Amino acid sequence: MGRNDCGIAPLTPSPSPRVEIRPKAACLFSVVVAIDFGTTSSGYAFSFTQDSEAIHMMKRWEGGDPGVANQKSPTCLLLTPHLRFHSFGFAARDFYHDLDPEEARHWLYFDKFKMKIHSTSDLTMETELEAVNGRRVRAIEVFVHALRFFREHALKEVKDQSSSVLEGEEIRWVITVPAVWRQPAKQFMREAAYLAGLVSPDCPEHLLIALEPEAASIYCRKLRLHQVIDLSVQPITNGLDLDGSRPFDSSFRQGDRYVVADCGGGTVDLTVHQIEQPQGTLKELYKASGGPYGAVGVDLAFEAMLCQIFGEDFIQSFKAKRPAAWVDLTIAFEARKRTASPGRTNALNISLPFSFIDFYKRHRGQSVEAALRRSNMNIVKWSSQGMLRLTQEAMNELFQPTIINIVQHIEELMSKPEVRGVRFVFLVGGFAESPMLQKAVQKSLGRTCRIIIPHDVGLTILKGAVLFGLDPTVVRVRRCPVTYGVGVLNRFVNGRHPRDKLLIKEGREWCTDIFDRFVSVDQSVALGEVVKRSYTPARTGQRKIIINIYCSTTDDVVYISDPGVRKCGTITLDLPEAGAEGGTGAAGGGSPERREIRATMQFGDTEIKVTAVDVTSSRSVRASIDFLSN
């Protein structure tokens, strides 16, 4: 972290945040379209503001799996060998699958690509994704193709439903992201939406980034008894019927607290809300927590098991040479994975593609059956019909690590003092449909609170995202996920500041690297609450102020060089010529007046916003915050 990092000095002592309640803007949108961009499956829904009770789910997709209600589509994208968009969802999967293996090697097929955005610590617009065939493409391009596909589909369907043809200005778009995502990932989604033509960067308010568990919570708080399954009321097999007599009283009482555990394909995402009466708004009681413990973990465990049996080099080679057959195998596993349940006694059969059996024979000179025998993997058998038979023990082994992580995360959250007195845990997201997960959560937490699963558990987030788009003020108080501040210069104080931080500028002694705190981790921030700071350029005549933003997961930060502090973004303020406004135009003899730039930052929304004013001229200064430039 360089010395010249701090080209600004704060003019005022750090004030405490002040609440400014913004007037509720009149709704200029005639329709809200929400896109739930998931790791394994995605979908959209919409609602017309004049009939906001009705949420329209997208039409059924072409293609689709037998026996699965396809109100969402798999998050798969297919690009041609020339990197042009070909198809998305079932259509992409089926077309790719039908390609000749030789040809398939040249096409770019992407699935579960959203996880990369979560796992990349230094995400930028240049971050790349790898297709199944090993070719790399900029991640932003993949996301833009997917969002453009949803935009076209949704617009067509909205126009079918509404006689008045909509103009772009009348649509508010909502895109969902995990609450545990950091600011760069949220900005990445927003940039992709601009590039995909959902909204123009000049009208950022036409796009909302919604947090997945928060959207689910907005939907869950309105549920009624006939719309949920209360696991506490289900007869429990081991004879412990946990007082199953209580009906689910979902008309929440004032001050009720509940946890929403959003168990998706990629992440598990936890949020704790309290309902504020009489207005029914939501208050977040503890910062969002969770991690990369989604259903994909089970798929990865299956892949690891195959590597153990057939050898990692063989599996890697098979994926590269027969990419479509590999995708086939993962789809076969996915379908069986959904039927796995704790009480099951018979094995689950997964048919191996013929090309797998053939490829193994040619590659290794022996049969798949011989490989299984040699691996001493007693929990996986071979059936004469060409299938892998996964015993209940095998399924447990594949599910357990991910499920243990999820349950541990919920238990840890429940032990926090801020979360005491929680009466309900709502399990939502695609993985919440798994009987394996349901049973584990009920066993761990069922004695202390009620485990509730909405009927349309896979669509909860989507429906909630539409409700959020109709009224974003419904979540009134959020908790800050990290401590945010900027690096500044302060006057050097002997004995208080370390000598290695001393910087002498124009005869003055400054201490560099001071962390000027805006908000602290887990601090409550109300909607419309702002933090104000005044800054002055370090040099007269500066055309631009660049302020570096730092964040930390703890609150005891003094210097930006402290351990655990990382630079997470920059604020750029473009300064107009001051002389014209009668500001600091004292060239020559007189000492120029210090120029004051007043910056206002808003932390209560799902994204951080910044505005700035040049105090002398009262002109607003162009302020932008960038989390993607490293």
Side-chain angles (χ1 to χ4, degrees):
M1 256 164 254
R3 282 299 175 78
N4 41 9
D5 205 43
C6 310
I8 51 162
L11 268 179
T12 46
S14 304
S16 59
R18 235 194 26 245
V19 178
E20 293 189 356
I21 299 302
R22 287 168 296 174
K24 207 168 162 183
C27 184
L28 307 168
F29 307 101
S30 51
V31 64
V32 169
V33 182
I35 299 173
D36 176 11
F37 197 128
T39 301
T40 37
S41 60
S42 299
Y44 64 85
F46 57 94
S47 179
F48 295 101
T49 44
Q50 76 268 26
D51 178 21
S52 58
E53 288 300 298
I55 295 177
H56 304 271
M57 299 306 300
M58 64 191 194
K59 291 212 182 82
R60 304 277 166 166
W61 296 91
E62 329 67 273
D65 293 334
V68 181
N70 302 308
Q71 280 196 296
K72 286 164 94 181
S73 150
T75 310
C76 318
L77 174 78
L78 184 62
L79 302 182
T80 68
H82 301 105
L83 304 186
R84 291 204 183 86
F85 175 82
H86 180 274
S87 46
F88 183 89
F90 291 112
R93 218 177 68 177
D94 298 344
F95 184 89
Y96 183 62
H97 165 244
D98 292 341
L99 282 171
D100 175 79
E102 221 13 76
E103 213 184 334
R105 287 167 57 179
H106 302 289
W107 287 67
L108 288 84
Y109 180 81
F110 298 89
D111 67 346
K112 305 191 173 73
F113 49 86
K114 182 178 164 192
M115 275 310 283
K116 174 83 176 184
I117 305 305
H118 178 78
S119 59
T120 304
S121 55
D122 51 351
L123 183 67
T124 69
M125 297 293 272
E126 302 307 315
T127 299
E128 291 186 326
L129 289 174
E130 196 174 303
V132 174
N133 67 354
R135 276 183 72 184
R136 301 175 73 79
V137 180
R138 281 168 66 223
I140 193 81
E141 289 172 27
V142 174
F143 278 78
V144 168
H145 282 307
L147 287 174
R148 197 179 286 133
F149 168 83
F150 277 113
R151 173 180 169 270
E152 284 163 14
H153 252 264
L155 284 180
K156 186 176 172 305
E157 204 173 324
V158 167
K159 281 176 180 156
D160 287 349
Q161 298 253 1
S162 154
S163 45
S164 60
V165 177
L166 288 152
E167 293 309 310
E169 287 68 85
E170 295 179 35
I171 299 178
R172 168 179 267 162
W173 294 88
V174 182
I175 298 177
T176 64
V177 304
V180 289
W181 268 17
R182 297 197 284 245
Q183 290 293 337
K186 293 177 190 170
Q187 186 188 333
F188 182 90
M189 267 309 202
R190 180 170 279 281
E191 298 291 343
Y194 291 153
L195 290 167
L198 267 69
V199 302
S200 150
D202 304 333
C203 309
E205 66 285 355
H206 288 208
L207 168 67
L208 294 177
I209 299 291
L211 310 179
E212 286 158 2
E214 204 173 89
S217 172
I218 293 167
Y219 179 70
C220 286
R221 82 191 207 286
K222 294 192 176 271
L223 288 171
R224 292 285 166 267
L225 178 60
H226 64 277
Q227 298 168 300
V228 303
I229 300 162
D230 184 345
L231 287 188
S232 327
V233 180
Q234 306 299 306
I236 290 172
T237 41
N238 58 8
L240 281 172
D241 180 20
L242 299 175
D243 181 19
S245 52
R246 302 167 296 184
F248 173 52
D249 163 29
S250 75
S251 46
F252 282 111
R253 298 203 287 276
Q254 176 153 356
D256 260 354
R257 303 155 164 236
Y258 59 93
V259 168
V260 173
D262 169 19
C263 307
T267 47
V268 62
D269 218 359
L270 308 173
T271 200
V272 194
H273 278 158
Q274 183 167 32
I275 296 191
E276 303 177 301
Q277 301 295 32
Q279 64 280 36
T281 50
L282 295 174
K283 176 180 180 182
E284 189 178 12
L285 297 180
Y286 189 74
K287 66 178 194 294
S289 58
Y293 312 118
V296 169
V298 184
D299 305 340
L300 294 172
F302 175 62
E303 187 177 325
M305 184 182 268
L306 291 177
C307 288
Q308 215 179 323
I309 299 169
F310 301 108
E312 191 169 346
D313 55 333
F314 169 75
I315 295 295
Q316 293 313 328
S317 164
F318 179 69
K319 278 164 90 169
K321 299 268 174 34
R322 298 281 182 276
W326 171 254
V327 170
D328 249 16
L329 178 53
T330 58
I331 292 166
F333 176 70
E334 174 71 32
R336 306 312 290 151
K337 180 176 87 175
R338 288 171 182 278
T339 65
S341 65
R344 205 188 158 100
T345 48
N346 51 340
L348 277 172
N349 291 332
I350 291 160
S351 50
L352 284 179
F354 172 74
S355 61
F356 185 99
I357 299 167
D358 181 55
F359 196 77
Y360 190 78
K361 182 106 180 143
R362 281 196 281 174
H363 203 265
R364 285 275 204 264
Q366 60 168 197
S367 70
V368 162
E369 194 179 352
L372 259 172
R373 271 205 306 273
R374 214 186 55 237
S375 71
N376 288 333
M377 221 347 139
N378 304 328
I379 53 177
V380 182
K381 309 269 191 270
W382 178 249
S383 96
S384 52
Q385 277 99 29
M387 297 194 179
L388 284 182
R389 292 174 62 75
L390 300 184
T391 59
Q392 185 59 38
E393 293 84 16
M395 286 316 265
N396 279 337
E397 216 163 278
L398 297 179
F399 273 86
Q400 257 4 79
T402 300
I403 286 179
I404 287 168
N405 265 320
I406 293 174
V407 171
Q408 258 176 352
H409 248 81
I410 303 176
E411 284 175 344
E412 237 166 76
L413 179 67
M414 301 293 263
S415 67
K416 304 274 186 239
E418 300 91 332
V419 186
R420 291 227 177 92
V422 160
R423 291 176 57 214
F424 304 106
V425 173
F426 285 95
L427 280 189
V428 303
F431 198 22
E433 293 173 38
S434 164
M436 304 281 274
L437 179 63
Q438 291 178 6
K439 177 81 187 258
V441 174
Q442 172 62 19
K443 195 173 158 204
S444 146
L445 301 162
R447 289 166 181 275
T448 50
C449 55
R450 323 270 300 276
I451 314 297
I452 309 291
I453 299 170
H455 275 318
D456 44 6
V457 60
L459 302 172
T460 309
I461 291 163
L462 197 42
K463 291 180 173 177
V466 174
L467 297 175
F468 178 69
L470 290 165
D471 178 16
T473 63
V474 58
V475 183
R476 201 189 57 81
V477 180
R478 291 185 175 88
R479 296 284 182 141
C480 200
V482 290
T483 298
Y484 284 108
V486 299
V488 297
L489 302 172
N490 276 357
R491 289 291 173 84
F492 190 86
V493 180
N494 268 316
R496 196 175 85 184
H497 293 139
R499 297 300 295 175
D500 65 344
K501 302 265 182 220
L502 174 63
L503 175 72
I504 297 173
K505 258 190 183 179
E506 297 167 356
R508 284 193 178 155
E509 293 195 338
W510 296 96
C511 176
T512 66
D513 294 351
I514 298 272
F515 181 83
D516 183 20
R517 182 182 282 96
F518 287 152
V519 286
S520 297
V521 62
D522 208 27
Q523 179 184 331
S524 282
V525 193
L527 205 59
E529 192 170 321
V530 297
V531 177
K532 285 190 170 161
R533 292 284 193 274
S534 290
Y535 296 106
T536 180
R539 291 190 323 279
T540 45
Q542 234 170 277
R543 290 278 68 82
K544 200 185 252 295
I545 297 184
I546 292 184
I547 302 168
N548 287 322
I549 305 176
Y550 295 89
C551 64
S552 162
T553 50
T554 60
D555 192 27
D556 50 0
V557 185
V558 182
Y559 301 105
I560 58 175
S561 52
D562 288 353
V565 179
R566 57 186 190 84
K567 180 181 158 192
C568 62
T570 54
I571 302 174
T572 304
L573 305 172
D574 285 334
L575 309 182
E577 284 283 351
E581 306 287 336
T584 57
S591 76
E593 219 175 290
R594 304 299 298 275
R595 182 175 184 175
E596 182 183 350
I597 305 297
R598 192 168 292 154
T600 301
M601 264 161 261
Q602 213 171 297
F603 287 90
D605 289 292
T606 58
E607 298 170 278
I608 299 172
K609 298 189 181 77
V610 55
T611 50
V613 171
D614 186 354
V615 175
T616 321
S617 64
S618 305
R619 285 229 314 240
S620 70
V621 172
R622 214 181 67 80
S624 63
I625 187 163
D626 185 9
F627 290 105
L628 286 172
S629 63
N630 276 320

